[in-house]
Structure formats: structure tokens, C-alpha cells
Amino acid sequence: MVKKRNVIINKGYAFVPSYEVDHIICYNFESNISKNLDLMIKIKNFRINDFEYIYSILDDLKDKCEYDTEKWRKNSLNMIKIKHNEIEQYSKYFPPCMNFLFKKLKQNHHLKYGGRMQFGLFLKCGVGLSVVESLLFWKESFFPLIDELTFDKSYAYNIRHNYGLEGSRIDYNSFNCYQIQNNYEPRNFDHYHGCPFKHFSHANLIHFLNDYIKEYDENSPKQSSSINNTIPQPVFEMINIVNKKEYNRACSYLYYYIHSNNKENFTFDIEKNKVLDHPDKFFINNINHFYRK
Ligand code: SF4
């Protein structure tokens, strides 16, 4: 980090920006484990099979650390900087949970606390909106229901708080799918946060997925109907997966389906297609795919 000038050096101290701290933690964690593994190999009766097993876990962990930190960050940083007034044009690349929240925000000029947290942190970490752009986005979205003065008084603090600029000054991360599905259940008809695959009724989910697919690719071929001739085949497949309570798999099905070049004969290969577990990944991969085209 010093060599690459990623840190500020002053009087022999290196000042590490908060977004680089996980890099140091992963590095220390890995090197500590390596040292201890070297010690363990010297211990008598330590079976070589055990050792190989531990290494396989470490390899997985390393992949995950690298994916979650370096790869994400690089992807996000390489992405074009999205401005507050461009959110609408990018919303069709959002995962269903965030696409729905955006639609409801646009429709009602408001979101309850759970929705503001889920969507606000996604805008920060997944979309990469700066705090200034975020404040502008929310202020304009709430208008005319909430005027500028009320917004500054009642809502701006929470947005700055999410960016670590107020209160405990924690630089918050966005919620992953597990947290969205399990920690913040929507309890009222006007709570729009949560995961559509888990929290929508079947009828609402079918309607929503139909619209989502159409919106994503207006030129997509007419979807073949399912066996009961009312629900398009891919939606029917997703509902079947949802019935098994495999919500992330249903969402990944949607992701790979919309990117498929052969939608008529699309099949979801669980071995080949990695299951997505974070809304940020869904969006970042989606955008990267779009720009590669
Ligand atoms: Fe969002 Fe995850 Fe649910 Fe997909 S599975 S809609 S990304 S919470």
C-alpha cells in the first residue's frame, strides 16, 4: 500500500483510509493462519488429510475475501460515476428488491425507514452514489410530499449517518440477501423493503417478474407459456424454485435468464451458474455485462 501510494505517510506513520482496512485485516488473518499451520505441521500425529482439508477451506476463504473486497471495489471504481439524476435510467439493472423500492419511491415520494435503509445503503455501496449525490437524490424523490426544509431537518441526518459522517461515524455496508430476507421482515402493507422472492404473494411475484423481464429487454422474444398456459415459462420456473424456499436461486435464475442469448431454450445450470447472494453483486455484474456488450 505504501509502494502504490494508497496511504498517506506522515512522520513515519501510514494513514490508512477506512475502505482499505479490510484489506489489512484479510492479509493479517491469512498470514496468522499460515504461521500457525506451519506450527501445526510440526505437531506429531497431525494427519496430512486434516491439513489438506484446512487448506481447501482457506482457499475458499481467500477467494471469497478477494471477491468481496478487491474485485468489487475495482469493478465499482471502474464503473462510470452515476449521478443522482441518472438513477432512473439505471434502475432496470437493479435486482428485484431494489427495483421495487425505487418504483415505490417514485410513486409515493416516500419510503418507510426499512426501505430507506435498504435502498439508501444499496445506492451508497452498490451504485456508488456519493453522499452529496445521495442527498440530492432523496431530496428530489421526496418532493413535493416533503419540502426542502423538512427534508433537511428530518431525513438528511440519517443519510449522512449511513456514510459515517454523523453519530458513531461507522461506514455502513449495504445489506446482503440473507439480511434482507431474514432481519428486516416487512410487516405492513406500506413496507416495501425485503426480498420479493420471499415476501411477495405468488400473484404479486408473477406480476412483478413479468414486468421486470419486459422492462429489462423490450426486444426480448415473446416468452413461451408454461404448461398451464397462463404464466410464462421462466416465471413459472422461478415460482417453482421459490416454493422450495430457495430465494437466492430464484433471483439468480432471473439474472442468468435476462442475460441468456438463447432465452427460448434457457436452462439454469446450478453447477455452472454461481448463485448470487448480494444485491450489489447483481447490479455490478449486470452493469459490467451491459458495458461489455
Ligand atoms: Fe434482492 Fe437478494 Fe432477494 Fe435478489 S435474492 S431480490 S438480490 S434480496
Side-chain angles (χ1 to χ4, degrees), residues 55 122 211 213 259:
Y55 260 127
F122 168 76
D211 286 352
I213 293 170
H259 291 155

Side-chain angles (χ1 to χ4, degrees), residues 135-146:
L135 285 163
L136 286 171
F137 169 77
W138 286 102
K139 195 178 280 189
E140 283 180 13
S141 303
F142 279 12
F143 191 81
L145 188 73
I146 287 156

Side-chain angles (χ1 to χ4, degrees), residues 95-98 118 176-178 180-181 194-198 247-252 276-280 282:
C97 49
M98 305 302 173
Q118 182 176 315
N176 60 32
C177 296
Y178 181 85
I180 292 173
Q181 287 159 11
C195 169
F197 292 100
K198 180 170 182 192
Y247 310 115
N248 284 57
R249 228 181 106 211
C251 189
S252 306
L276 299 169
D277 59 2
H278 203 303
D280 297 4
F282 189 111

